[in-house]
Amino acid sequence: MTQTPEQTDPQEAQPEVQQQQRPPQVARPRPQQQRNPQQQRDPQQQRNPQQQRNQQQQWPDITVVIPLYNEEESLKELNQQLRSTLGRMNVRYELLFVDDGSTDHSFQILRDMKRNDRHIKVVRFRRNYGKSAALAVGFDKAQGNVVITMDADLQDDPSEIPSLKRRIEEGYDLVSGWKKVRRDPLTKTIPSRFFNFITSLLTGIKIHDFNCGLKAYRRDVVKSVKVYGELHRYIPVLAHWEGFKIGEMVVQHRARKYGKTKFGLGRFWKGFLDLLTALFTTRYLRRPLHLFGPIGAGMTLIGLLIDLWLVIEWFMGLTSLGNRPLFLAGSMLIVIGIQFISIGLLGEMISKTRTSAEEYSIREFLK
């Protein structure tokens, strides 16, 4: 009777000792994994490729995102051309039409097309938000491994899709179309060339046509780049600063067959402001003081030097500060410079606490 507890006590105590020893054994490798990131990634890399391949097999090969606004006359013809091109490619595909609050019969036509074609999906906004919003929602809903964007006015040729896909397979993450020969009036082509030249110069991206609606993206790009406001013109810029590889391909541009353009000359003035936004949000979004700080410091230094020189002359009796507008200008430079530095500091504080989540009111989603 006395031996039974003596025999069982060590056995019962043994698990307790093992349980006390296990945490240190599990915890020991963790510092090594943190010191060696490659070892930490290896097991994940062994598992992820198979999971990724299985997931990619369920996705369509191509998603075509088509933002539109009042394009009722061209939709059926565009759909026929897309089905013909994608059918010859023998790929799994989906057509994602984003109706940006059309006031004509565009949605009714899309709904009828959807009933006869399982490849079609339709997103309908409650009101007109703009092309950037339509692309943002289209990117969010797109499931294809390669995403093609094109306009709904038939000026973009669907027969370019196979070539765009091949360029993506060559290793590019984003391929932008270049309308080398444009079928538009001079009032659009000349400002557009000047606009593209300035954009290429300021961003350092050597492509000729930032505003071409016909583009191809790898899936990772559309899921990473956030498009808002009117930044659809600068998606290559946003992708470039995210580290993606950008390419360009000459594409055919056709004359407008139906309706009229939705963009006037005012878009170039807005485009310049959007360029400043793109540059700021890509280069200085997380370090705004690097933009405003040097400007403020330079203005403050110039103002201090001006006022110091005038104060020295005043002490020497060579001038009077009351009748020298230059003294007032130096003081203003100091004040404005301090304000620039303050703006940069406020921007730093906001960038550390900001949360960006812009939503659009979707009326219907047919899938």
Side-chain angles (χ1 to χ4, degrees), residues 38-215:
Q38 184 63 36
Q39 293 180 358
Q40 191 175 7
R41 286 194 300 264
D42 285 342
Q44 193 174 9
Q45 289 177 349
Q46 293 174 2
R47 293 192 303 267
N48 279 350
Q50 184 61 38
Q51 295 176 355
Q52 207 169 24
R53 282 194 295 269
N54 293 337
Q55 192 174 18
Q56 287 178 352
Q57 289 175 358
Q58 299 175 359
W59 293 335
D61 298 309
I62 295 178
T63 296
V64 183
V65 178
I66 306 122
L68 62 107
Y69 178 68
N70 292 344
E71 298 288 355
E72 59 182 357
E73 296 173 314
S74 62
L75 290 175
K76 291 182 179 180
E77 186 173 347
L78 175 62
N79 183 46
Q80 292 174 357
Q81 295 179 11
L82 285 168
R83 292 180 61 183
S84 176
T85 298
L86 294 168
R88 290 194 300 269
M89 293 176 65
N90 194 24
V91 294
R92 292 172 299 164
Y93 68 91
E94 61 178 2
L95 305 178
L96 182 54
F97 293 88
V98 184
D99 182 2
D100 188 20
S102 296
T103 56
D104 60 1
H105 297 92
S106 294
F107 179 74
Q108 288 79 1
I109 295 173
L110 292 172
R111 184 169 53 192
D112 294 338
M113 289 164 45
K114 165 64 182 172
R115 291 171 182 164
N116 300 320
D117 191 344
R118 59 181 178 84
H119 298 99
I120 293 178
K121 297 181 179 179
V122 183
V123 176
R124 184 187 187 190
F125 286 169
R126 292 187 181 275
R127 65 173 180 86
N128 179 251
Y129 286 100
K131 189 174 181 178
S132 293
L135 288 176
V137 173
F139 288 166
D140 180 64
K141 305 292 184 184
Q143 297 181 347
N145 293 314
V146 175
V147 177
I148 308 290
T149 60
M150 62 187 308
D151 295 335
D153 55 10
L154 294 176
Q155 290 193 270
D156 294 333
D157 190 353
S159 64
E160 302 284 359
I161 292 178
S163 300
L164 289 168
K165 184 175 182 293
R166 282 194 296 269
R167 296 300 298 274
I168 292 294
E169 292 170 349
E170 290 174 3
Y172 290 100
D173 296 308
L174 187 157
V175 179
S176 180
W178 175 18
K179 297 173 289 189
K180 193 172 183 178
V181 179
R182 294 194 58 170
R183 308 297 181 184
D184 288 323
L186 292 178
T187 54
K188 291 184 64 176
T189 56
I190 293 177
S192 180
R193 289 177 181 176
F194 175 75
F195 173 79
N196 287 315
F197 171 75
I198 295 297
T199 303
S200 178
L201 182 66
L202 294 179
T203 61
I205 303 176
K206 303 304 179 183
I207 62 177
H208 298 82
D209 194 351
F210 288 86
N211 200 33
C212 180
L214 188 58
K215 292 182 174 67

Side-chain angles (χ1 to χ4, degrees), residues 252-299:
Q252 181 181 358
H253 186 238
R254 302 185 293 191
R256 189 175 182 91
K257 189 174 181 179
Y258 303 106
K260 59 181 180 180
T261 181
K262 309 300 187 300
F263 303 99
L265 292 176
R267 68 171 179 162
F268 295 107
W269 299 106
K270 295 179 181 178
F272 176 74
L273 298 177
D274 294 334
L275 176 59
L276 298 180
T277 302
L279 291 174
F280 180 79
T281 55
T282 51
R283 295 188 180 183
Y284 302 105
L285 179 63
R286 293 177 178 85
R287 45 192 179 97
L289 190 59
H290 289 196
L291 174 64
F292 294 105
I295 298 174
M299 297 178 71

